[in-house]
Amino acid sequence: MHRDLVDTIRAELARHADPARAAGQQRYMKSTIPYRGLTSPQLTAVLRPILADPGFRIADRDGWEATIRTLWDEVAYREEWYAAIALARHRTYRPWVDRESMPLWRHLVVTGAWWDVVDEVATHLVRDVLEGSPDVEGLRLREWAVDDDLWLRRTAIICQVGRKDRLDESLLADAIEPNLADRDFFLRKAIGWALRDHARIAPDWVRAFVDAHAGELSGLSRREATRHLADA
């Protein structure tokens, strides 16, 4: 684990803290973890030079994963979670976003358990792994789609957002269908988002899916899924 990197990130987050904004952010996100109060552009500006600094370069996968876990599991302010995701996604470490990293992404999803961090992990890190190993990871994501943990299920549903014409429609259907009866807002919203995104590329497929599940889709999911279909 790169202790100097962790300490530097925490120190810079503290240096740019805005307690008044932090209180509002915590209320908005309904977070039990406090914020430092950085805006998204501020956070990006603080993290970019640190993560790009050769002096903070992590030499091996184990050190990279351990540093991510330290920022995540020892979190004192929510921005440390965002920093962990930024470290995970940094281009320097792109070769390590592969099948071996999936247990780490699962850990972040299950312990993060809220849309701001889960969606970042799902639509970037998990999606990138799926791109590299579609057959094997497709099987894993089908298992996540029926897991007891709703955030793993949300991840399975939305992890193909942004894949465009590379999206696996069979996997999308297999992720959505076991969750159609669930009344949880975050799952219903996820279903609508995933279908709406794919409708940009395959409107006929989405129309057919919505029609085939007319009696099962929630109103929220249907409205989200068909938002742009009238113009397609």
Side-chain angles (χ1 to χ4, degrees):
M1 191 271 292
H2 202 311
R3 173 55 65 182
D4 287 346
L5 175 56
V6 171
D7 290 345
T8 299
I9 287 172
R10 288 174 174 163
E12 285 300 295
L13 293 176
R15 191 165 70 87
H16 291 82
D18 183 333
R21 184 185 292 118
Q25 290 173 325
Q26 186 174 2
R27 285 194 302 272
Y28 174 75
M29 290 301 300
K30 302 177 182 176
S31 176
T32 58
I33 304 169
Y35 275 79
R36 283 295 193 186
L38 282 75
T39 65
S40 292
Q42 280 180 312
L43 182 62
T44 298
V46 167
L47 294 176
R48 183 184 292 118
I50 299 172
L51 297 180
D53 189 334
F56 292 127
R57 192 66 47 84
I58 301 172
D60 56 66
R61 175 194 288 269
D62 288 346
W64 172 69
E65 291 199 6
T67 305
I68 294 169
R69 283 183 178 270
T70 298
L71 283 165
W72 196 271
D73 294 342
E74 298 178 6
V75 63
Y77 295 90
R78 203 169 186 91
E79 287 91 346
E80 293 167 23
W81 272 0
Y82 303 157
I85 293 172
L87 174 60
R89 292 187 58 197
H90 196 270
R91 62 183 181 277
T92 301
Y93 309 110
R94 180 65 185 82
W96 296 334
V97 180
D98 59 14
R99 288 177 54 195
E100 291 183 43
S101 66
M102 282 294 276
L104 177 57
W105 312 146
R106 186 186 196 282
H107 175 71
L108 302 192
V109 166
V110 172
T111 57
W114 201 241
W115 64 268
D116 59 333
V117 291
V118 168
D119 292 4
E120 281 291 302
V121 173
T123 61
H124 295 289
L125 296 165
V126 172
R127 186 183 70 192
D128 286 352
V129 177
L130 177 63
E131 289 275 7
S133 303
D135 294 335
V136 172
E137 295 309 324
L139 294 175
R140 188 199 304 266
L141 288 162
R142 286 175 170 87
E143 293 176 357
W144 286 15
V146 295
D147 196 275
D148 289 340
D149 187 275
L150 78 88
W151 297 104
L152 284 177
R153 284 183 275 149
R154 180 176 169 95
T155 297
I157 293 166
I158 66 172
C159 68
Q160 295 198 81
V161 167
R163 288 194 79 194
K164 299 182 180 180
D165 58 354
R166 301 185 306 281
L167 182 139
D168 181 337
E169 292 173 343
S170 175
L171 174 58
L172 180 60
D174 287 348
I176 290 174
E177 287 170 348
N179 293 288
L180 286 170
D182 199 295
R183 299 184 62 83
D184 183 86
F185 169 82
F186 290 104
L187 288 178
R188 291 184 169 192
K189 190 76 170 180
I191 290 168
W193 179 19
L195 290 172
R196 184 181 76 244
D197 181 73
H198 191 45
R200 302 174 190 276
I201 302 298
D204 291 341
W205 186 92
V206 173
R207 283 194 192 94
F209 185 91
V210 169
D211 290 345
H213 298 86
E216 303 165 277
L217 277 169
S218 69
L220 172 61
S221 297
R222 175 185 287 274
R223 286 192 300 274
E224 288 291 311
T226 60
R227 183 182 297 177
H228 305 300
L229 283 181
D231 301 325

